[in-house]
Amino acid sequence: MIVQILLYLLIFLAKLIEVALATVRNVLINRGEKLLGAAIGFVEVMIWIIVVSNVLGSLAEDPVKALVYCLAFACGNYFGVIIEGKLAIGTACIQVMIVDEPNTAVSVMDKLKKSISVTEDGKIKEVNCVDETNTYINLKTLLRNRGFGVTTVPAQGLDHEVNIMMIYLKRKSVPEALDLIRTHSPSALVTVNDIRQMRNGFIRK
């Protein structure tokens, strides 16, 4: 009985690993990682041959093996997606759309924050004015200060003028960028797209 349970467990683990590898392989190939995808495919098929030969060879005598096989297949797909998400291989593009709505109720002086640099002899060296109500400019500056490359495009929506920011980055950096956007501009429209190939441009390492 113990030997039979161990056999079920072995079939389950082997099939789970095989399907998880297949899920990761498909994602890698779709992202252009041909060599790594081929290597994973070799291991995947080897496991598949061993498991299938064991299950099909004695399926009539022990139908429980089929149930274990199917359960492992379902779990393998689930864990494969989780593994691929943790690996986060490849690049992505985040698009942020912010409505440009000037706040007319706020005076110009209230909107401007002056940062004055003074020389040793008391003369004004530099005056920087930052519009604290301009969510678009502040978010763009925040992202660039964190090392993200940001490309901006003015656009026209149905009722408002909008500003679009496009951020190309490693998939591993997507959660960090999304947290910054969500914290600073919770009402912004945000989309994330995977990039299969990219040439030139700037991406934070």
Side-chain angles (χ1 to χ4, degrees), residues 3-24:
V3 175
Q4 197 71 12
I5 293 175
L6 291 176
L7 180 59
Y8 294 152
L9 182 60
L10 180 61
I11 293 173
F12 179 85
L13 292 177
K15 186 61 182 179
L16 186 148
I17 294 172
E18 178 229 321
V19 178
L21 289 175
T23 304
V24 174

Side-chain angles (χ1 to χ4, degrees), residues 26-162:
N26 287 329
V27 174
L28 290 175
I29 291 177
N30 289 333
R31 297 185 188 282
E33 300 288 342
K34 302 181 183 65
L35 292 178
L36 185 56
I40 292 177
F42 177 83
V43 178
E44 170 200 340
V45 171
M46 182 178 295
I47 296 175
W48 181 83
I49 292 174
I50 296 173
V51 173
V52 169
S53 62
N54 183 279
V55 172
L56 295 182
S58 57
L59 186 59
E61 294 80 8
D62 192 357
V64 176
K65 288 183 178 180
L67 179 62
V68 174
Y69 184 90
C70 296
L71 180 61
F73 183 88
C75 294
N77 281 283
Y78 178 81
F79 286 107
V81 174
I82 294 177
I83 293 171
E84 195 281 327
K86 295 293 184 181
L87 293 175
I89 298 173
T91 57
C93 175
I94 299 178
Q95 291 188 349
V96 185
M97 186 179 298
I98 299 178
V99 177
D100 187 7
E101 294 182 302
N103 188 352
T104 56
V106 181
S107 67
V108 174
M109 292 303 296
D110 291 334
K111 290 170 62 178
L112 296 179
K113 178 182 179 181
K114 294 184 178 180
S115 176
I116 303 175
S117 300
V118 182
T119 61
E120 294 181 358
D121 56 359
K123 294 182 179 180
I124 296 176
K125 180 173 64 175
E126 183 180 5
V127 178
N128 294 322
C129 295
V130 178
D131 184 355
E132 293 187 321
T133 66
N134 196 319
T135 304
Y136 160 68
I137 292 178
N138 289 343
L139 177 58
K140 178 177 64 175
T141 302
L142 176 63
L143 289 167
R144 285 177 173 170
N145 288 340
R146 294 294 184 92
F148 293 106
V150 181
T151 301
T152 61
V153 180
Q156 178 65 52
L158 179 62
D159 300 318
H160 304 279
E161 291 184 355
V162 296

Side-chain angles (χ1 to χ4, degrees), residues 139 142-143 146 148 176-185:
L139 177 58
L142 176 63
L143 289 167
R146 294 294 184 92
F148 293 106
E176 178 187 352
L178 290 179
D179 286 340
L180 289 174
I181 297 167
R182 189 180 300 111
T183 301
H184 191 275
S185 307

